[in-house]
Amino acid sequence: MIPKLDDTDFDALVEEARGLIPEYAPEWTDHNLHDPGITVIDLLAWLVDQQIYRIGHVGPSLRRAFSRLMGIEPRPARQAIFDVWSNQPGSTVLDLAAGQEAHSIDLPDAQFMVAEDVRLTGARIETITLVTEAGRKPLGDGLAHGRSTLSLPPTDGGGPLALEIKLDQVLLQGEPPVSLGVMVERPVSAENWRSNAPIPLAGDEDMFSPPADQPRWDSVIVEQRRAGDDGWIALPVTDRSFGLTRSGTIRFIPVETGSATVRLRLSESFRPGTVTLRRIGIDVVTLAEGWRDIEEVIGFGNDLPDQSYEFPTTNIAGGLERVVLESPELWSIVEDFTTSAPDDRHVTIDHSGGLLRLGNGVNGRVLETGEQLRHKPLIRTSGVNGNVAQGLRWTVSGRPIGENLAAGTGGRDADRLQDLIARARAAASTRIASMSEESLYELISKSGLGIARFEVLAGYRPGGRVKGARTVLIIPDRAADTPPGRPRAEVIESVENLLEPSRLMGERIFVSMPIYRNIDVSLVIAVKPDADVDALRAKLKGLLHARFWDLPVREDVAPWPPGRDISVGDLRALAGRFKDVLYLKSAIIRSGETQIADDADLFVLGPRELPLLRTLSIVLEQESTP
């Protein structure tokens, strides 16, 4: 709570000053109002009263400033957007333009628009084929109807090579783009990826803008088969799925080849984690809630000071930065007129009252008689009330285009002053005062960066031990049979950006990959005479491979921690987990020229080093028990 500092007034100040006169000026005996000294006291009391009021008055501008100090900026209104999936195969070709009105018979009074130029082809997906290094695997049309799924492992240029999509007709060449839609099951929301740009887009803006703690994943490459099956042609692409890491559209411009087959090439794409592809469709249209506010006059000048006009701003998609005012000269929106000169074309906005105010001719120019203040075209939105449920039916220009298979979300109201204060208080109360390993785990695991494992090294920085430093070793997710590789620089940078707001003052956090040490292990183990040697050997191999690997592959076996030395006793303990094992007869651990075989020896690892089991030899000798 902000304390009340304005706890005195003018009369109390005057009386307090009069009471001090006998103490400091005993010769001053006339304390009546006509006395010039009393007049000076009245003047000083008035000045002090104004200062106290100013100190105690925390107005909206100061509260916004305090919120900015907490890193809380006001968020503008934002539209809901969603994809509509075609259920009209075989229909005629129809080109849709961005901004064209869309309607739902389920929401007759709501206003929606086509978000981007798109061509509806009327095509149908006949079959999808997965192409890998092992060969071609027909998937049928199950993905096109949501009857089957396809798991895509994390990759950095490996994994499945392509998805070939055969349509029932050849696509027309040229613009507008054709749109494929993908639905991806992934536990990370794309909500924070939405930009504040009003839709339809203007210029080079994009409706998606990955935040600083998210890399810009590689785009899917779309290719069209050449005539006569003579190779493939790469097509211009706008990938809203960000390399199949989220649900969205993949828009491309076909060329004339005479072929009805396109493919999504995945081998060059980077996926930070395992995703499940649930559906692929063609003629998927992105819609946005909202309506156009065309260029119009806000008010007519009358040459008087302090003119004001009605101009609601809270429902402007993208906020005040999207407002362009002219008369025809451009006018600027300012916080107040304190620093405005007489000829400055400045206006202020009263968001709560929906009023636009001009200056008084001394601070800020007046709008002269005969002048018109106009705003350029805007897009307005219903904000949170524009979000829609899934399963609604949609039409454009009277033609059915399909239904939205997922809810339309992302619509948001502009922040009010009380919203800023609530967010600032929440940020202050939830800020991590001391980042524990548990809080680190929560931050990284929910980041969507595809980090399968991380380890925290306290008091260490790459190169040596340092007080006040911590190093976070990260291991990106990948297929279980894939050897480890170096994380991308943008992934490391994104983890650093993610952790930076929670870093303590004076603390340094470093993000790095482990240093891998390949080890070769040879074991000779005595086992019971009735032991199933083959089954036991398989179990031992599975246990040791899981223990000396960098990623968790079994729930009951944790990977070896970084920097922990390995001893023969560790191998003995692992082998002793099985009841058919009698004892460890001998063990050898090698890595390059380093080798240990005795209980007294240690295979020493540096702080960032992790062991990787390269080869494993297990000899099981059956012995009689006494």
Side-chain angles (χ1 to χ4, degrees), residues 21 33 62 78 96 131 156 194 227 243 258-259 261 279 311 376 444 485 509 512 562 585 591 623:
I21 292 175
L33 292 177
L62 286 177
R78 193 175 66 181
L96 303 181
V131 182
D156 192 1
R194 279 286 308 279
S259 172
T261 302
R279 197 179 188 114
F311 185 60
K376 302 296 282 184
I444 296 176
I509 297 179
S512 174
K585 300 184 72 172
S591 179
E623 294 187 3

Side-chain angles (χ1 to χ4, degrees), residues 254-296:
V255 296
E256 181 59 52
T257 66
S259 172
T261 302
V262 296
R263 71 175 181 181
L264 308 181
R265 203 169 80 219
L266 312 177
S267 54
E268 284 80 7
S269 298
F270 171 51
R271 285 186 307 281
T274 300
V275 297
T276 300
L277 188 59
R278 301 191 63 84
R279 197 179 188 114
I280 297 178
I282 193 166
D283 291 348
V284 177
V285 181
T286 302
L287 298 185
E289 183 274 334
W291 63 95
R292 290 184 182 275
D293 183 355
I294 61 174
E295 180 177 350
E296 63 180 24

Side-chain angles (χ1 to χ4, degrees), residues 197-240:
I199 304 167
L201 303 165
D204 296 329
E205 291 185 293
D206 200 342
M207 66 180 74
F208 291 101
S209 180
D213 60 358
Q214 293 279 353
R216 293 182 176 271
W217 311 125
D218 295 340
S219 170
V220 167
I221 298 173
V222 179
E223 298 173 319
Q224 189 171 352
R225 190 186 293 279
R226 294 180 184 272
D229 293 344
D230 184 23
W232 299 85
I233 299 175
L235 305 176
V237 176
T238 302
D239 181 10
R240 304 292 188 199

Side-chain angles (χ1 to χ4, degrees), residues 16-232:
E16 182 180 355
R18 282 181 174 178
L20 294 174
I21 292 175
E23 180 179 350
Y24 291 99
E27 66 278 6
W28 183 358
T29 58
D30 188 356
H31 300 166
N32 295 311
L33 292 177
H34 66 266
D35 187 86
I38 297 300
T39 303
V40 172
I41 287 179
D42 287 349
L43 176 62
L44 293 175
W46 178 80
L47 291 173
V48 172
D49 184 32
Q50 297 299 310
Q51 292 174 336
I52 292 175
Y53 170 79
R54 180 63 179 169
I55 292 173
H57 177 68
V58 182
S61 60
L62 286 177
R63 291 175 186 265
R64 292 190 184 96
F66 293 154
S67 297
R68 284 195 293 270
L69 290 175
M70 293 293 298
I72 305 300
E73 295 288 346
R75 299 175 302 186
R78 193 175 66 181
Q79 302 154 270
I81 65 170
F82 50 93
D83 295 328
V84 174
W85 289 65
S86 173
N87 54 12
Q88 305 292 321
S91 55
T92 57
V93 174
L94 177 64
D95 291 347
L96 303 181
Q100 198 168 343
E101 290 186 5
H103 303 277
S104 171
I105 60 175
D106 304 296
L107 298 171
D109 298 328
Q111 301 183 73
F112 297 86
M113 298 180 289
V114 176
E116 300 177 292
D117 296 344
V118 66
R119 169 170 292 160
L120 301 184
T121 67
R124 177 178 61 85
I125 295 177
E126 288 188 341
T127 184
I128 300 174
T129 302
L130 176 65
V131 182
T132 68
E133 295 177 349
R136 300 169 60 85
K137 179 181 179 182
L139 303 177
D141 64 352
L143 272 175
H145 298 282
R147 295 193 304 261
S148 60
T149 61
L150 177 64
S151 180
L152 298 173
T155 179
D156 192 1
L161 298 181
L163 285 172
E164 292 185 4
I165 302 171
K166 187 177 186 304
L167 306 173
D168 67 343
Q169 59 180 270
V170 177
L171 301 176
L172 292 178
Q173 66 173 332
E175 299 189 69
V178 173
S179 179
L180 284 172
V182 295
M183 294 189 71
V184 172
E185 181 181 303
R186 193 160 179 257
V188 178
S189 169
E191 175 70 14
N192 293 331
W193 290 51
R194 279 286 308 279
S195 73
N196 291 322
I199 304 167
L201 303 165
D204 296 329
E205 291 185 293
D206 200 342
M207 66 180 74
F208 291 101
S209 180
D213 60 358
Q214 293 279 353
R216 293 182 176 271
W217 311 125
D218 295 340
S219 170
V220 167
I221 298 173
V222 179
E223 298 173 319
Q224 189 171 352
R225 190 186 293 279
R226 294 180 184 272
D229 293 344
D230 184 23
W232 299 85

